[in-house]
Amino acid sequence: METWDAIRARRNVRTYLPDPIADHDPDRIVEAGWRAPSASNRQHWDFVIVTDHAQLQELSTVWRGAGHIASAPAAIALVVPQPPDERTKLIDQYDLGQATLAMTIAATDLGIGTGHSSVGDQDKARAILGVPDDHVVSYLLGVGYPADRPFKPIDKPDRRPFDEVVHRGRW
């Protein structure tokens, strides 16, 4: 798939086929996150790839919007050190957003769906993943083949009208 087509086809996927994804695909998806831009090239992130069904079941309980993780063949946890101040927190979250988008586009290119989730219960998430207490499990990304339909560019996305969003020179 061409990059522009992957961007236009990407959507949140929260129902997955039970088929496992190829062993090398999670590494390729995470590599896209690893290659994402990072402020001052700090790369505070760590990524945890999870494929164990019991672990995925447990992870699905760390946030009310994480239920789809239970049925995903894999998940990726995005982890950063506990920020020392608000500025670092904002920068780290921005960096994770860039890494997440890179991973979702790379997954779409492979025909693999992703669905993101926040993490509410930090203690539980850290325990499930073996993450040190001085780190934050910021997000989870469910990963698997879409159960409903394959990817194709979306001609009419559910978005605010382009001309209402884009301003030229001034608001």
Side-chain angles (χ1 to χ4, degrees):
M1 186 177 286
E2 293 293 320
T3 304
W4 184 239
D5 289 340
I7 290 169
R8 292 175 46 230
R10 192 223 57 84
R11 65 179 194 276
N12 288 328
V13 174
R14 290 194 167 77
T15 56
Y16 308 98
L17 294 175
D19 308 348
I21 57 178
D23 289 340
H24 59 275
D25 285 343
D27 287 343
R28 180 159 179 181
I29 294 166
V30 170
E31 183 177 343
W34 174 75
R35 290 178 176 272
S38 174
S40 300
N41 202 28
R42 292 176 7 211
Q43 306 170 59
H44 280 181
W45 51 50
D46 284 275
F47 307 112
V48 181
I49 299 170
V50 179
T51 57
D52 178 76
H53 182 70
Q55 244 184 316
L56 293 165
Q57 290 284 327
E58 285 187 83
L59 281 175
S60 74
T61 66
V62 299
W63 181 252
R64 66 178 177 261
H68 64 286
I69 301 297
S71 64
I76 300 165
L78 291 84
V79 180
V80 291
Q82 193 72 255
D85 53 52
E86 190 64 23
R87 182 176 187 275
T88 302
K89 179 181 178 181
L90 290 172
I91 292 169
D92 285 350
Q93 293 307 303
Y94 186 83
D95 285 356
L96 287 179
Q98 293 189 98
T100 300
L101 182 60
M103 287 190 274
T104 63
I105 297 298
T108 302
D109 183 56
L110 295 169
I112 296 171
T114 56
H116 62 277
S117 172
S118 293
V119 176
D121 190 336
Q122 283 296 315
D123 291 335
K124 188 173 188 179
R126 282 192 291 261
I128 294 165
L129 297 168
V131 170
D133 289 343
D134 62 347
H135 283 66
V136 177
V137 182
S138 294
Y139 306 106
L140 300 174
L141 197 59
V143 180
Y145 297 107
D148 55 353
R149 63 193 191 280
F151 288 109
K152 68 176 188 171
I154 300 167
D155 292 328
K156 295 182 181 179
D158 184 15
R159 298 280 167 221
R160 291 173 43 210
F162 189 78
D163 291 340
E164 286 181 21
V165 175
V166 178
H167 308 273
R168 301 188 192 278
R170 295 182 55 102
W171 186 272

